[in-house]
Amino acid sequence: MPALISPSARFDIRSAYSRILQNEQISTPVAAILALVELMENTTAGTMFELVQELKDGAETLKHQSSNSISLNAGTELFIEFVTLFPHEASSFLELKTELIRQGHQYVTEALTYRDKIAQLAFDFIKDGSVILTHSYSRVVMQTLLWAHKRKRISVFVTEARPRGLGIKTAEMLAAAGIPSTVILDSAVAYSMDMVDFVLVGSEAVVESGGLINAVGSNQIAIIAKAANKPFYALAESYKFHRLFPLSQYDLPTHNSKLLSFSVPRGRAHRNSTAKPPTTLPGSSLGSSAVAGVKDSDPPASIKISQEQIARNNPDVDYTRPDLISLVFSDVGSLTPEGVSQYLVGMFAG
Amino acid sequence: MDDVSSGLKSRGLRIFSHFGVPKQLGSGVKGVSDIHPAIIRLGLLFSEFKICGANARCIATLSAFKTVIQDYTTPPNTTLARHLMTYISPQITYLVSARPMSVTMGNAIRQLKLEISGSDIDLPEQDAKDELCQTIDNYIRDRIIIADEVIQDLAGKKIKDGDVVLTFSRSSLVQKILLHAHAEGKRFSVIVIDSRPLNEGKALLKALTSVNPPLPCTYALLSALPSLITEATTVFLGAHSLHSNGAVYSRAGTAIVAMMAKAHGIPVVVSCETYKYSESVMLDGFGKNELAPAKFSPSDPKPNLMLEVLNPLYDVTPPTSITAVVTEVGMIPPSSISSIPLALGVATL
């Protein structure tokens, strides 16, 4: 943790962020931006350089406390870029700071309308009587489906999205709104794909390559949709566009060597500790006393694997390649994956 | 027999015949005796393949032109801005007769001509010449040297400890990236794939193993690629030029490496400075290519009536085989290469 000697350390950005996040409607990037705006309100920095430095330190602090920081990063980088590129025409630093804070609040107010814009944009792509497949829980997808339900008839398949099971929450909310919906197993996506008209998912982030970072399982669904020739649409607010460029799943910032690692069962460990290599073929079951090197006095090892262990050992998000995505719907319009990079370059080129 | 064979030979190649018969150095250039000695020297170095590689050729050309400009005197009754252009043109034609112009040389010379035509008429001659030499230095510094440093950092982030990086032939930029990542303390190994006739990979191998501590390297020819490709975690390739449809024009063999890597799900990263961008569209390696001169062909069997030896030096890698392109303006997918001018803040490059 960086040692914050500056006076604005008294302003705890982490508690501000947690407080802001309690509002269900605010997503992580917007909450991060609001937290940074609050940091600006409480800062004692006297120059632009100091201010940008404090914002960067604040963003680092937020990043370290969050396990899934990709969308958070998208928001903070966007805001810091905005502050850096803002024209310094104000006569005093205080005026500039006030203007920046005002702009920050204005952006957040506008950002809260993005989901409606996206819902209206996607509405034209939903035909009457569509069967839609969605994954896990996404606020922007929920808003789009609720909006579409007002004028058209739709029915929705929702994947369970283990281990967190957020898909069940989606199905409950859809049922409460009167939309015919059903929860399907994550493993039943291929089974149901021929019944589906198109796939609609939300996003954690949309990246420079035009690919999508979303809850784990999205990549699987995209591959199956491609194989079945069904369109795969991603909904993403523009503050989720990120300049990251993952080359593969394992190039994501959320990937570490502990994920999907193999645990060493006790029987094997014994065998390794004796210097003699096994002269007989090992038995098919671990812990069987027929394995050379395992002492006969050891009871057969019985391993119990818990759901928490599984959840810890598995990734939270995955990366979907751009060639699997048909369109990205955003408040700036409907973009092809190639167009995402053009937009990002234009936004950050300055 | 000789007459018959030479008469039939002069019909030329059956494929790539649209490139014409390879000419002698200096043929077709008006006023060969007026060519500056620095350019003659450069032409000889090009035709002997002593200077090879898009960056090297461009820097050598620009340095030679600096000498030419300094030695130039404006004749009476004309201005530097107008006459220097006509003075330089035959020099350029001479270089092209040695080897077809590279996209890098083309872009650099176009920029130079723009600077010359924009030269202030009222400036004293020496000042105008110094200014031109300064713009040439700035171009080399900004578009090549500093761009390479930015690319080293960006691409270096994609190399992690334990990686096995595969590369083809010798790209000056990939060499810099690998040496920079190694100097930062990253532990990785390199597979260098090489091919005839130029065997440029040997020079890369030498450079990578001469540092202290040396980089662990494997050297193999293109025919060994299928056996080695599964060992690689990332593929880094260089480029001669980048085209607006996202295709990469590079040393012959690059396309094979990229396509095979993509087939095995290995990310392919092409590193390329923005000054290598060409607005043209390239769909295959036939429309534009270069054949290696006869001295690179094996002496046995000798080319005769029934046998021609072809050594195209370049090939085209389609954008679908490339995962990412690293330029000094960032890492971009190949399909949005056309956003480079936007990123640089110019209308055209």
Side-chain angles (χ1 to χ4, degrees):
Chain A
M1 204 198 100
L4 299 163
I5 316 166
S6 60
S8 53
R10 280 181 240 122
F11 169 73
D12 188 357
I13 194 167
R14 279 172 295 176
S15 60
Y17 177 69
S18 319
R19 182 192 4 111
I20 296 167
L21 259 189
Q22 274 161 15
N23 181 349
E24 255 268 318
Q25 283 308 304
I26 298 188
S27 54
T28 39
V30 178
I33 293 176
L34 269 177
L36 287 179
V37 171
E38 271 194 39
L39 190 151
M40 273 211 303
E41 284 169 357
N42 289 307
T43 187
T44 53
T47 62
M48 216 35 209
F49 182 76
E50 280 178 39
L51 180 66
V52 172
Q53 198 54 47
E54 276 187 27
L55 287 175
K56 286 189 179 157
D57 290 339
E60 271 302 304
T61 322
L62 283 179
K63 191 160 82 166
H64 283 134
Q65 71 149 21
S66 167
S67 59
N68 172 20
S69 57
I70 299 180
S71 55
L72 196 153
N73 271 349
T76 54
E77 273 182 32
L78 175 66
F79 187 65
I80 293 176
E81 187 76 20
F82 167 71
V83 168
T84 320
L85 292 175
F86 195 69
H88 306 335
E89 284 154 3
S91 47
S92 79
F93 178 69
L94 201 58
E95 247 186 64
L96 183 64
K97 208 173 71 167
T98 323
E99 180 63 21
L100 280 171
I101 293 171
R102 193 187 67 81
Q103 291 261 356
H105 280 299
Q106 193 180 3
Y107 180 75
V108 170
T109 327
E110 236 189 82
L112 293 172
T113 65
Y114 285 168
R115 289 199 197 115
D116 285 322
K117 270 195 202 165
I118 295 173
Q120 284 164 29
L121 186 63
F123 180 74
D124 294 324
F125 285 80
I126 302 176
K127 283 208 278 268
D128 195 27
S130 294
V131 178
I132 306 172
L133 171 67
T134 186
H135 180 57
S136 189
Y137 174 70
S138 160
R139 280 167 291 213
V140 61
V141 172
M142 183 58 69
Q143 205 144 337
T144 308
L145 293 175
L146 291 173
W147 181 266
H149 178 61
K150 292 200 183 112
R151 306 282 186 83
K152 297 179 178 172
R153 287 166 295 195
I154 54 169
S155 35
V156 184
F157 284 124
V158 189
T159 53
E160 192 186 355
R162 285 252 182 118
R164 292 166 73 196
L166 286 173
I168 303 176
K169 180 174 165 189
T170 309
E172 284 168 357
M173 284 177 71
L174 289 174
I179 302 175
S181 57
T182 182
V183 176
I184 62 173
L185 296 173
D186 297 326
S187 27
V189 171
Y191 190 95
S192 53
M193 190 51 81
D194 283 329
M195 290 193 237
V196 166
D197 288 320
F198 63 90
V199 182
L200 199 63
V201 300
S203 58
E204 284 278 329
V206 173
V207 289
E208 182 97 53
S209 58
L212 183 75
I213 298 182
N214 197 24
V216 63
S218 313
N219 189 27
Q220 222 158 279
I221 298 175
I223 294 172
I224 297 172
K226 186 80 179 194
N229 274 322
K230 306 285 176 176
F232 182 94
Y233 300 128
L235 305 179
E237 301 93 314
S238 59
Y239 48 76
K240 286 184 176 162
F241 285 24
H242 197 13
R243 288 217 83 176
L244 202 62
F245 198 127
L247 294 177
S248 68
Q249 301 293 344
Y250 319 117
D251 196 24
L252 284 176
T254 47
H255 182 76
N256 58 58
S257 49
K258 287 203 285 287
L259 282 181
L260 299 179
S261 57
F262 294 103
S263 64
V264 181
R266 269 190 298 151
R268 283 258 168 95
H270 271 276
R271 198 196 314 159
N272 284 341
S273 59
T274 61
K276 237 180 343 161
T279 47
T280 57
L281 283 167
S284 53
S285 60
L286 299 161
S288 150
S289 48
V291 175
V294 176
K295 304 194 197 79
D296 278 331
S297 52
D298 275 347
S302 70
I303 314 272
K304 282 264 171 285
I305 301 178
S306 66
Q307 286 292 327
E308 289 88 51
Q309 264 182 301
I310 297 177
R312 250 180 296 137
N313 207 25
N314 273 275
D316 282 322
V317 293
D318 65 20
Y319 167 65
T320 306
R321 284 192 337 255
D323 53 292
L324 300 170
I325 302 171
S326 311
L327 281 178
V328 175
F329 292 115
S330 173
D331 45 276
V332 295
S334 45
L335 302 166
T336 56
E338 294 87 24
V340 169
S341 170
Q342 302 255 17
Y343 172 79
L344 272 172
V345 167
M347 197 163 69
F348 283 95
Chain B
M1 180 61 188
D2 272 342
D3 281 351
V4 174
S5 64
S6 60
L8 280 168
K9 228 197 257 184
S10 64
R11 224 197 308 148
L13 309 160
R14 284 181 196 88
I15 342 176
F16 287 120
S17 56
H18 55 288
F19 290 137
V21 186
K23 299 191 284 277
Q24 270 287 75
L25 177 63
S27 62
V29 182
K30 293 198 246 326
V32 178
S33 48
D34 289 334
I35 306 288
H36 194 282
I39 301 288
I40 295 185
R41 178 172 171 274
L42 196 62
L44 195 59
L45 287 171
F46 279 176
S47 61
E48 294 292 309
F49 281 77
K50 292 278 182 277
I51 298 184
C52 212
N55 281 349
R57 281 207 280 163
C58 180
I59 295 178
T61 310
L62 287 177
S63 309
F65 273 117
K66 266 179 29 184
T67 321
V68 170
I69 290 175
Q70 285 296 359
D71 289 346
Y72 166 78
T73 43
T74 322
N77 298 329
T78 180
T79 57
L80 181 132
R82 281 189 215 129
H83 186 259
L84 185 55
M85 294 267 251
T86 50
Y87 179 70
I88 284 192
S89 295
Q91 323 270 353
I92 298 172
T93 321
Y94 184 83
L95 284 178
V96 171
S97 72
R99 265 191 80 182
M101 185 135 77
S102 63
V103 168
T104 47
M105 277 164 64
N107 284 344
I109 289 173
R110 197 174 339 122
Q111 189 67 22
L112 178 64
K113 284 188 176 172
L114 196 65
E115 293 293 330
I116 293 175
S117 63
S119 188
D120 193 353
I121 297 184
D122 296 323
L123 271 181
E125 186 174 305
Q126 190 54 44
D127 288 353
K129 292 199 288 190
D130 288 340
E131 201 181 287
L132 282 173
C133 289
Q134 187 59 46
T135 44
I136 291 179
D137 281 335
N138 290 348
Y139 189 86
I140 296 178
R141 182 197 64 199
D142 295 335
R143 307 300 294 272
I144 308 179
I145 314 277
I146 294 192
D148 282 358
E149 285 179 20
V150 176
I151 294 174
Q152 278 169 36
D153 279 329
L154 275 177
K157 289 200 182 83
K158 293 301 179 190
I159 301 179
K160 299 181 192 52
D161 284 345
D163 272 357
V164 177
V165 174
L166 188 141
T167 184
F168 177 74
S169 189
R170 178 187 173 271
S171 159
S172 54
L173 188 47
V174 173
Q175 180 177 314
K176 285 183 189 174
I177 292 172
L178 295 175
L179 288 173
H180 178 77
H182 184 63
E184 281 191 330
K186 296 193 180 161
R187 302 270 140 261
F188 60 97
S189 59
V190 179
I191 301 176
V192 180
I193 302 285
D194 205 5
S195 90
R196 289 189 65 252
L198 294 172
N199 281 328
E200 291 158 306
K202 286 187 184 165
L204 177 65
L205 187 66
K206 189 167 176 197
L208 294 179
T209 47
S210 322
V211 284
N212 193 10
L215 258 171
C217 294
T218 308
Y219 177 88
L221 294 179
L222 204 51
S223 38
L225 183 65
S227 325
L228 289 172
I229 193 77
T230 43
E231 305 282 320
T233 54
T234 343
V235 172
F236 275 84
L237 298 170
H240 173 106
S241 62
L242 208 53
H243 295 265
S244 56
N245 61 322
V248 165
Y249 183 73
S250 190
R251 181 66 69 225
T254 309
I256 299 176
V257 174
M259 290 190 225
M260 181 146 271
K262 207 59 197 281
H264 282 87
I266 299 169
V268 175
V269 177
V270 172
S271 4
C272 180
E273 303 90 337
T274 54
Y275 87 113
K276 285 179 176 163
Y277 177 64
S278 161
E279 300 244 325
S280 61
V281 169
M282 196 160 272
L283 298 171
D284 57 46
F286 274 108
K288 174 188 168 187
N289 209 322
E290 186 186 337
L291 298 175
K295 69 168 191 172
F296 289 110
S297 317
S299 50
D300 167 53
K302 283 201 204 17
N304 53 38
L305 285 175
M306 296 297 138
L307 179 70
E308 280 288 358
V309 181
L310 270 186
N311 262 319
L313 286 173
Y314 296 100
D315 67 16
V316 171
T317 308
T320 44
S321 306
I322 303 167
T323 315
V325 176
V326 193
T327 64
E328 69 265 29
V329 296
M331 211 173 221
I332 50 180
S335 46
S336 44
I337 302 281
S338 39
S339 61
I340 290 182
L342 182 65
L344 286 173
V346 291
T348 53
L349 275 171

